[in-house]
Amino acid sequence: MALSRVCWARAVLWGSAATPGLHVPRKLQLVRCGLAWGAPRSSKLHLSPKADVKSLISYVAAKTKVINGKYHRFLGRHFPRFYVLYTIFMKGLQMFWADAKKARRIKTNMWKHNIKFHQLPYREMEHLRQFRRDVTKCLFLGIISIPPFANYLVFLLMYLFPRQLLIQHFWTPKQQIDFLDIYHALRKQSHPEILCYLEKVIPLISDAGLRWHMTELCTKIQHGTHPTVHDILALRQCFSNHPLGMNQLHALQMKALSRAMLLTPHLPPFLLRRRLNTHMAVIHQLDKALAKLGVGQLTLQEVKSACYLRGLNSTHIAEEKCRTWLGEWLQISCSLKACEYQGRPTNLLGVQKCFQSTRSYQKNPRGDCGVGYHRYHL
């Protein structure tokens, strides 16, 4: 009896001790299983913040690219004409944004190193000049788009008047040729007025030799003969003093010169004179920078743009002839001293545009530099 009691007590003690023992391994097993399952799960889902941002950006960029491709294919399939305009507009925005970033980089470099505009290389100087003109032309669109719901009117105006409101980045290749021809036709309208004024002031020239040179020059222009560099430089004094100095010109003559340089003539006389002086001073600085670089270093597009800025309609002229014309222009421009550009002889280069582009390019199919335009062609 006593032995049975001892066995029963021993069994009770072993049972109470064994029961917790059974639960402890299970808990440990559950914890271990949780650790075993949780470690790789957290390593896959809980990444670092930088990795999360990069993966999110790459995912959004990939989805956007796919959606954009589908949208382009939809437009090209169902609205082909609108797709052409849309493509040109988007490319124009990209090019204009790239120009803005490049202009900002140039300006930052100028401020950092205390560089003036005339000390820049030719390409940077020309980029800033063109970007300023583009921003000025886009300023009107920015002003009229300020009122509410005016965006629809802006898009309509851009579609109806692309030449007047848009810059070249938003023109089609055909529009670029046609619009440049239109602008050049506007320039040529002022050439007869300029030449007529030169003939009228010949008796007012006091020096007999200069009076003879001016008469010979006007005669060559009327007979279609191309004046030489010496013919133009021989008349430098006439354009620095009376009667052809900038300070002696009347409002009508300054308006004619402004139209010949694609500047607005609808300004008061003192603003016209200041605008002409500033414009020709910038061109003179560009000429000096281009002379250092060399005409041979320019690309075909740069050569044609430089010739068009200086008065030659280079869209229908061969590259070699454009380079020859630009070299002659630089020879004349660089022969003028910097002190001569303080306002008075700038119209020498303005009239030089009328004179020097009179060479007859007989083989031009469009005839823009042919015999029919040899008198007043810019």
Side-chain angles (χ1 to χ4, degrees), residues 78-95:
H78 298 281
F79 306 98
R81 296 183 63 183
F82 177 77
Y83 176 69
V84 173
L85 298 177
Y86 172 79
T87 305
I88 294 174
F89 183 76
M90 296 304 297
K91 289 182 179 179
L93 285 179
Q94 294 175 0
M95 289 188 292

Side-chain angles (χ1 to χ4, degrees), residues 197-198 235-250 253-254 257 261 270 272-281 284 336-352:
Y197 178 71
L198 289 176
L235 297 170
R236 181 188 309 182
Q237 297 181 1
C238 294
F239 296 94
S240 300
N241 303 306
H242 181 80
L244 294 175
M246 181 63 72
N247 293 333
Q248 284 76 35
L249 293 181
H250 301 293
Q253 286 87 42
M254 289 189 294
L257 284 175
M261 300 176 193
F270 71 95
L272 285 175
R273 184 176 288 107
R274 181 178 178 181
R275 184 82 181 275
L276 287 170
N277 290 335
T278 303
H279 180 73
M280 298 311 300
H284 183 58
L336 300 175
K337 299 179 181 179
C339 61
E340 293 178 337
Y341 270 83
Q342 300 301 321
R344 282 183 283 185
T346 51
N347 53 343
L348 171 60
L349 288 183
V351 179
Q352 174 198 353

Side-chain angles (χ1 to χ4, degrees), residues 293-306:
L293 178 64
V295 179
Q297 300 298 322
L298 299 181
T299 62
L300 174 60
Q301 183 60 38
E302 290 175 338
V303 170
K304 289 186 174 293
S305 299

